[in-house]
């Protein structure tokens, strides 16, 4: 059984009709959505949040208020809060808020193990894959 290695998946998967179909996300889909939505580049990225302000993101970070994620995942805000707390408690994420005068705080989520899921060296050095075993 292969437990390590990578399957390169384009972020364009979000445009596929199956990804866009109306549904409540599973917890796995919500985590996967955060991974593919996080900033990939080492360079800082300035996200402009409509009517709220700007925030600088680095590799493994994304912007995501509970209200935004609830709408995106078709969940209630309580379920989002519980899910994010679980991810914080198990060391998967941390969050902080960026504030601008006269605006609502912007929630920044940092994926603490981003390299585990999105290793930038995986394309340059793909893992060796053992040959398929014949069925018994």
């Amino acid at each position: 059984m292969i437990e390590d290695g990578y399957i390169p998946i384009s972020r364009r998967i979000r445009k596929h009709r199956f990804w866009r179909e109306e549904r409540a996300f599973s917890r796995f889909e919500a985590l996967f959505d955060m991974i593919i939505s996080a900033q990939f580049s080492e360079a800082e990225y300035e996200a402009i949040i409509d009517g709220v302000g700007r925030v600088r993101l680095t590799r493994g970070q994304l912007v995501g208020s509970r209200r935004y994620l609830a709408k995106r995942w078709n969940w209630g805000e309580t379920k989002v809060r519980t899910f994010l707390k679980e991810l914080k408690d198990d060391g998967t994420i941390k969050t902080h808020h960026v504030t601008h005068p006269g605006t609502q705080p912007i929630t920044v989520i940092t994926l603490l193990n981003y390299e585990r899921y999105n290793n930038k060296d995986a394309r340059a050095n793909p893992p060796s894959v053992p040959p398929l075993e014949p069925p018994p």
Side-chain angles (χ1 to χ4, degrees):
M1 174 180 239
I2 300 172
E3 295 192 21
D4 289 317
Y6 295 87
I7 300 171
I9 299 175
S10 170
R11 294 168 190 267
R12 288 185 300 245
I13 193 75
R14 292 178 289 189
K15 293 181 181 181
H16 192 280
R17 70 182 187 278
F18 293 164
W19 187 258
R20 293 186 329 205
E21 69 187 6
E22 183 67 27
R23 71 191 184 288
F25 277 38
S26 68
R27 291 162 23 108
F28 171 78
E29 288 171 308
L31 176 59
F32 183 72
D33 185 55
M34 290 194 310
I35 293 167
I36 64 175
S37 298
Q39 173 68 13
F40 179 75
S41 172
E42 290 290 340
E44 285 190 353
Y45 170 75
E46 187 171 76
I48 301 171
I49 313 303
D50 292 338
V52 179
R54 299 170 185 255
V55 63
R56 291 215 180 272
L57 299 175
T58 58
R59 184 169 167 80
Q61 292 184 322
L62 65 142
V63 173
S65 70
R66 286 193 308 255
R67 186 177 345 158
Y68 169 78
L69 295 174
K71 183 177 179 184
R72 184 175 177 91
W73 300 337
N74 201 14
W75 290 4
E77 287 187 44
T78 301
K79 184 173 180 176
V80 171
R81 184 176 59 248
T82 302
F83 179 67
L84 294 178
K85 182 182 181 325
E86 180 181 353
L87 293 177
K88 285 180 191 178
D89 290 349
D90 73 10
T92 301
I93 67 168
K94 69 178 180 178
T95 61
H96 72 276
H97 293 91
V98 176
T99 56
H100 297 284
T103 65
Q104 295 289 327
I106 299 168
T107 303
V108 176
I109 300 170
T110 303
L111 296 162
L112 297 174
N113 297 313
Y114 187 68
E115 288 303 317
R116 180 182 301 163
Y117 305 114
N118 210 338
N119 185 334
K120 63 185 174 186
D121 296 327
R123 280 198 242 206
N125 303 309
S128 60
V129 178
L132 294 175
E133 296 177 19

